Amino acid sequence: MDDLTPSQRQAVSHIDGPLLVLAGPGSGKTRVVTRRIAHLVESGVPPSQILAITFTNKAAEEMSERVKAILPAARVWVSTFHRFCARLLRRHASVVGLESNYTILDTGDQKTAMRRVMHDLDLDPVHYTPDRIAWHISTAKNDLVTAEMYARRYEEQIGDHWQATVARVYPAYQKWLLDSNAVDFDDLLLHVAVMLAEHEELRNDLDERFRYVLVDEYQDTNIAQYQIVRALSQQFPNLCVTGDPDQSIYGWRGARIANILRFEQDYPDAKVIRLEDNFRSTRAILRSADALITHNTQRKDKRLITQNPEGESVKLLRFPDSHLEADGIARQIREQVEAGEREWTDFAIFYRVNALSRQLENALMRHRVPFQVAAGVAFYDRTEIKDMLGYLRLVYNAADRAAFLRVVNKPLRGLGKTSQDRLVAWAAREGVDFIEAARRATEIPKLSKRAVSAFRKFAEMLDDFSLADAGSVENQLTSIIERTGYTKPWEGSPVETEQQQLANVQELVSAARQFDATFADETSLEGFLEQTCLVNETDSLDKTSGQVTMMTLHAAKGLEFPVVYIVGVEEGLLPHERATRENDPRELEEERRLLFVGITRAQEKLSLTETARRSFRGRDMMTIRSPFVSEIECETVDCMDEAFMPEWQQQQLQESLAKRRESSEDQPLIFDNKPMLMTAADLLNGVKKSIDIPFGFRQGMLVRHPRYGRGTVTATDGHGPRRTVTVKFEDSELTKTFHAAKSPLQPIGR
């Protein structure tokens, strides 16, 4: 404990009884948790009696690695909530009516199931959208409201058609999942919470086994997670929770800040320790963060203290528009790296909504700045990846209906919607799973001979896969690819998108190979499928990749970077328009906490940005400064001169100025054949006039599209947001027309 602060040492040395560790940002709470685990083991607690739970895979892996570094021989269960519940549920699946080889549906497959259930209930998907019904059901599950409870509560309610409809869909959806031997993400928590509440003997056994429970990021727990933790800490209330109410930013997905605020009420004899020493950020950054968060009322009082240098003041960069904002950020990053002051990996760009990333990505590519986007889930959301995983899921769990419907006609086998609907209806009448129905396709009325043959061959192929050696996930996956011929149309194709699809499937094979190598002693299809479906948004980030990192503010939680840009600190973006529209103080406080989290990710330099006008979701509008700006200490920098314009815009501006000097008349500036009727100062002062700076595509300009590759602009038409650009691409005979304001086209020269 020699390298710990006094407060850290207190938290680590505490053994028996409940403990609340209020850990400010950058205060070394991961170190405290791992050292505490080590101290428990060294004090005689068997490692098997210790359970450590956190929220992200990366946090769990880092915690596990640190524990192994201190205690190589100790096997402590360190996991995320969902992985812990998934493993626990496999061991006790029969308690909730499942088989141990159940599969976990991702969001896309959940929607497939929802649409199928609504179709069976003859509900209009236009009026009662599946997404909204799924949201209501997810909210109910997070609040531990089962389908039966929901139906009893709302089925006969008069006047609320939505809740009455959800009361019909929820039980039918749960039956669909049970018949599929499947669960969704929320079920993992709900099933375990109900299981612990209704089966006292099982709860006692688990409470006896996990005598010391440590929960990280406790402020992010929802009701289901709260009840699970409570159930495991009754006979042996040696519960240690670490967290920070000021960093509770997931209320929109069910997190309850009240869980951490009332910890001392739940455990009156709890010891409370505050970790206030910040080892991450400069004093200037922490002053701004502290000044901001003190405006919240839902919090535990604490300070942010550091021995770090004063550092540079926090900057508020003001740009005329969002295009120059993106270009200015990219230019600043490149200049600092070229000057030898920074590495690419030092920089991170945060934004409130994903829609802000497009212009930033274009600007970074234009300035040849390497970057990565935190989108770990995106890889597994690609169609070809979901198809391959669908085959693997069917091999593992033949009852998986969503997987069957996903891959039964991929690649094309002539099994369209009508044939699938007939098989589904027949399977329901006969009480068999879909694969069994496919085997008995000759018994299904009105199926064509071609469909009967295709269904039976599909079932035979799956039977062959199931009988094959399942020891290696890589071999299983390779066999599926070869037998189905899934990737054959893309092999040798010159089309960039098809090459990318082939590369994605090959990357999945590599992931399977890596899994086989990493878990050589316990290789299983179950583990691989669990790993791929419980991926987090930041799992794909590589801090050694030599790239600038881009992500949402929500994804930034738990990370740190020397230099941070927070884009779009404006009314309607940060705080989000939802918080201001609903006029809910709790929503506004969560938005303030979100900015607080972003600010405290910065170690040395922090810049916030705002624009006078912003092109966003197809609209070009004047902006209003965020009310949060007045709550922090920052230095305003106006970035509105030519130095922040890309070269092609500077050239056009100079040409327009030259034309104006040649004319004796007082004419407006001409910018890309469109009058430029306002100056940068006008923009910052809120003058509402027309401007068309962003869409400067010209005939003959070379451009690049992320999907179609390089091309040449052959024509332009229109002005402003309605401006169109026609491009002929080099690698094919393809010619396409785009809306300049919305397309990902980027100029790469004349």
Side-chain angles (χ1 to χ4, degrees):
M1 298 188 190
D2 292 343
D3 58 346
L4 300 180
T5 65
S7 56
Q8 288 178 331
R9 196 174 298 118
Q10 287 180 35
V12 168
S13 59
H14 180 88
I15 297 180
D16 294 321
L19 172 66
L20 170 61
V21 180
L22 292 171
S27 60
K29 68 179 173 59
T30 302
R31 170 183 290 188
V32 167
V33 174
T34 53
R35 297 290 181 90
R36 185 167 188 275
I37 292 172
H39 183 69
L40 287 172
V41 174
E42 290 172 347
S43 300
V45 176
S48 60
Q49 291 184 357
I50 301 172
L51 171 65
I53 304 178
T54 186
F55 274 82
T56 68
N57 295 327
K58 277 192 175 297
E61 289 169 7
E62 179 185 356
M63 199 177 293
S64 183
E65 288 171 2
R66 290 196 190 186
V67 172
K68 288 179 182 176
I70 304 171
L71 303 168
R75 293 180 65 85
V76 176
W77 195 344
V78 181
S79 176
T80 64
F81 262 108
H82 284 87
R83 287 199 175 191
F84 169 72
C85 290
R87 297 290 175 87
L88 201 61
L89 193 57
R90 290 206 189 279
R91 297 178 184 179
H92 307 283
S94 59
V95 174
V96 295
L98 292 168
E99 301 292 331
S100 61
N101 66 326
Y102 70 82
T103 45
I104 305 170
L105 302 192
D106 62 18
T107 305
D109 291 322
Q110 182 184 6
K111 290 179 181 178
T112 298
M114 193 67 67
R115 284 192 292 268
R116 176 63 62 176
V117 168
M118 292 177 63
H119 175 270
D120 293 342
L121 294 175
D122 199 26
L123 289 172
D124 178 13
V126 176
H127 183 66
Y128 298 107
T129 58
D131 283 353
R132 187 173 175 188
I133 288 182
W135 179 84
H136 277 281
I137 293 175
S138 176
T139 301
K141 289 182 177 182
N142 285 330
D143 290 344
L144 291 183
V145 178
T146 65
E148 294 75 17
M149 293 165 61
Y150 198 102
R152 286 197 301 270
R153 187 179 301 179
Y154 298 116
E155 196 167 30
E156 298 178 359
Q157 185 164 322
I158 299 173
D160 194 325
H161 296 294
W162 259 105
Q163 289 183 328
T165 301
V166 174
R168 290 180 60 201
V169 175
Y170 190 179
Y173 170 67
Q174 288 304 106
K175 183 180 184 305
W176 201 94
L177 290 175
L178 195 62
D179 291 343
S180 302
N181 191 33
V183 298
D184 60 26
F185 293 137
D186 298 314
D187 280 330
L188 292 172
L189 303 177
L190 176 65
H191 283 320
V192 170
V194 171
M195 185 170 67
L196 293 174
E198 296 182 351
H199 298 271
E200 187 67 17
E201 185 177 350
L202 175 59
R203 192 209 63 76
N204 289 337
D205 289 344
L206 292 171
D207 196 348
E208 173 80 22
R209 177 184 174 185
F210 300 116
R211 297 193 178 192
Y212 294 85
V213 179
L214 299 87
V215 182
D216 193 17
E217 305 290 4
Y218 191 65
Q219 76 281 348
D220 293 332
T221 53
N222 59 28
I223 290 179
Q225 292 160 334
Y226 169 82
Q227 292 293 354
I228 291 169
V229 172
R230 289 275 285 172
L232 296 176
S233 309
Q234 291 186 16
Q235 295 164 259
F236 301 91
N238 304 316
L239 172 63
C240 169
V241 302
T242 63
D244 181 6
D246 292 338
Q247 297 184 70
S248 178
I249 59 174
Y250 297 112
W252 52 276
R253 70 181 187 196
R256 299 297 180 96
I257 191 174
N259 292 349
I260 192 169
L261 293 177
R262 72 182 184 198
F263 186 83
E264 292 153 278
Q265 296 175 0
D266 292 338
Y267 302 91
D269 57 341
K271 185 174 183 178
V272 180
I273 297 173
R274 286 172 168 79
L275 303 184
E276 298 176 313
D277 292 284
N278 181 286
F279 302 98
R280 176 187 297 155
S281 306
T282 62
R283 294 179 184 177
I285 292 171
L286 291 182
R287 267 202 313 276
S288 290
D290 227 346
L292 174 73
I293 204 61
T294 53
H295 287 79
N296 273 8
T297 58
Q298 287 188 301
R299 62 189 304 260
K300 294 273 191 179
D301 187 48
K302 67 178 186 312
R303 301 169 299 162
L304 297 178
I305 306 168
T306 187
Q307 300 301 316
N308 291 338
E310 171 66 19
E312 296 185 25
S313 61
V314 175
K315 302 292 195 301
L316 174 66
L317 308 181
R318 307 178 69 198
F319 292 92
D321 60 50
S322 51
H323 296 267
L324 293 178
E325 171 191 56
D327 201 82
I329 291 172
R331 184 185 298 275
Q332 287 187 12
I333 292 173
R334 182 158 196 88
E335 287 175 352
Q336 291 179 65
V337 173
E338 288 181 341
E341 300 171 6
R342 297 285 179 185
E343 301 292 334
W344 298 119
T345 50
D346 290 345
F347 296 92
I349 304 174
F350 302 152
Y351 33 82
R352 175 62 177 86
V353 292
N354 279 307
L356 293 182
S357 72
R358 182 181 64 85
Q359 291 178 359
L360 291 163
E361 291 179 47
N362 290 344
L364 293 172
M365 288 188 284
R366 193 161 55 242
H367 284 275
R368 302 183 304 283
V369 174
F371 66 92
Q372 60 178 333
V373 180
V377 181
F379 177 77
Y380 294 99
D381 278 343
R382 293 183 171 99
T383 298
E384 57 273 17
I385 301 303
K386 289 170 73 71
D387 289 348
M388 289 294 98
L389 293 176
Y391 274 107
L392 289 175
R393 282 165 47 191
L394 272 181
V395 171
Y396 179 65
N397 173 21
D400 192 331
R401 296 178 171 189
F404 180 95
L405 294 174
R406 165 167 284 282
V407 302
V408 68
N409 200 37
K410 292 184 178 180
L412 296 177
R413 300 184 174 91
L415 296 173
K417 186 177 183 302
T418 301
S419 297
Q420 293 180 40
D421 286 346
R422 286 171 179 165
L423 179 138
V424 169
W426 187 86
R429 288 195 301 270
E430 296 296 317
V432 298
D433 63 45
F434 292 172
I435 295 181
E436 178 63 21
R439 294 190 191 102
R440 298 165 56 183
T442 53
E443 302 175 36
I444 301 176
K446 298 183 180 181
L447 275 185
S448 67
K449 291 183 178 179
R450 181 184 179 188
V452 169
S453 175
F455 274 130
R456 295 186 67 182
K457 288 181 179 178
F458 179 70
E460 290 170 4
M461 180 177 64
L462 289 175
D463 290 340
D464 290 343
F465 291 151
S466 299
L467 292 171
D469 177 21
S472 164
V473 180
E474 179 189 3
N475 289 344
Q476 284 273 54
L477 186 56
T478 302
S479 176
I480 289 170
I481 294 169
E482 292 174 353
R483 180 75 181 272
T484 61
Y486 186 88
T487 61
K488 279 194 177 300
W490 307 330
E491 294 171 4
S493 171
V495 181
E496 187 173 351
T497 52
E498 294 184 347
Q499 293 176 7
Q500 186 62 49
Q501 288 172 307
L502 178 61
N504 288 338
V505 174
Q506 292 169 341
E507 180 63 25
L508 184 65
V509 175
S510 298
R513 184 183 308 118
Q514 184 178 4
F515 178 87
D516 291 334
T518 305
F519 301 95
D521 298 332
E522 47 180 311
T523 298
S524 70
L525 189 53
E526 169 193 309
F528 182 71
L529 290 173
E530 185 177 293
Q531 175 178 284
T532 57
C533 71
L534 296 180
V535 66
N536 296 120
E537 188 175 359
T538 57
D539 284 354
S540 64
L541 288 182
D542 182 1
K543 293 295 289 287
T544 64
S545 64
Q547 297 175 303
V548 173
T549 300
M550 294 177 57
M551 66 180 71
T552 64
L553 282 162
H554 283 100
K557 182 87 171 296
L559 303 176
E560 61 183 27
F561 299 89
V563 185
V564 168
Y565 289 89
I566 302 178
V567 176
V569 186
E570 300 156 6
E571 184 81 50
L573 286 177
L574 192 60
H576 193 275
E577 60 181 348
R578 180 182 60 251
T580 53
R581 182 176 63 245
E582 297 180 2
N583 198 28
D584 186 341
R586 293 172 300 179
E587 293 269 3
L588 191 63
E589 288 205 359
E590 179 152 325
E591 292 293 307
R592 188 179 283 111
R593 290 194 294 267
L594 187 58
L595 179 56
F596 174 81
V597 165
I599 290 173
T600 54
R601 301 310 96 193
Q603 296 171 286
E604 300 169 21
K605 292 179 64 176
L606 171 66
S607 297
L608 316 178
T609 75
E610 66 173 11
T611 63
R613 295 182 72 92
R614 184 170 295 280
S615 298
F616 182 64
R617 291 177 177 167
R619 294 187 298 166
D620 185 41
M621 65 193 82
M622 304 296 296
T623 65
I624 301 173
R625 172 171 286 182
S626 169
F628 297 154
V629 171
S630 64
E631 299 174 357
I632 63 177
E633 181 181 312
C634 62
E635 174 189 345
T636 301
V637 179
D638 285 338
C639 302
M640 57 184 182
D641 58 24
E642 289 182 47
F644 291 93
M645 293 185 181
E647 293 180 5
W648 58 274
Q649 283 189 348
Q650 289 184 46
Q651 183 176 349
Q652 288 189 3
L653 178 60
Q654 292 302 323
E655 290 173 356
S656 296
L657 289 171
K659 289 179 181 179
R660 189 179 186 190
R661 284 193 295 268
E662 292 171 4
S663 173
S664 58
E665 299 178 7
D666 187 14
Q667 298 291 334
L669 295 179
I670 303 299
F671 204 105
D672 195 23
N673 300 320
K674 172 80 167 137
M676 179 179 173
L677 301 178
M678 61 196 306
T679 65
D682 291 332
L683 278 168
L684 293 172
N685 290 326
V687 180
K688 295 185 177 181
K689 296 182 180 179
S690 175
I691 187 169
D692 194 30
I693 292 177
F695 315 127
F697 294 99
R698 304 178 302 282
Q699 189 170 350
M701 175 183 280
L702 293 177
V703 295
R704 180 174 180 81
H705 190 282
R707 179 175 180 183
Y708 304 113
R710 288 167 56 97
T712 304
V713 176
T714 58
T716 61
D717 187 37
H719 299 290
R722 296 184 178 180
R723 185 172 179 78
T724 61
V725 182
T726 302
V727 180
K728 186 178 187 303
F729 292 96
E730 296 177 357
D731 296 336
S732 64
E733 296 300 319
L734 183 66
T735 298
K736 291 185 72 68
T737 300
F738 305 89
H739 282 284
K742 299 179 181 179
S743 79
L745 288 171
Q746 46 177 150
I748 55 177
R750 287 183 175 274

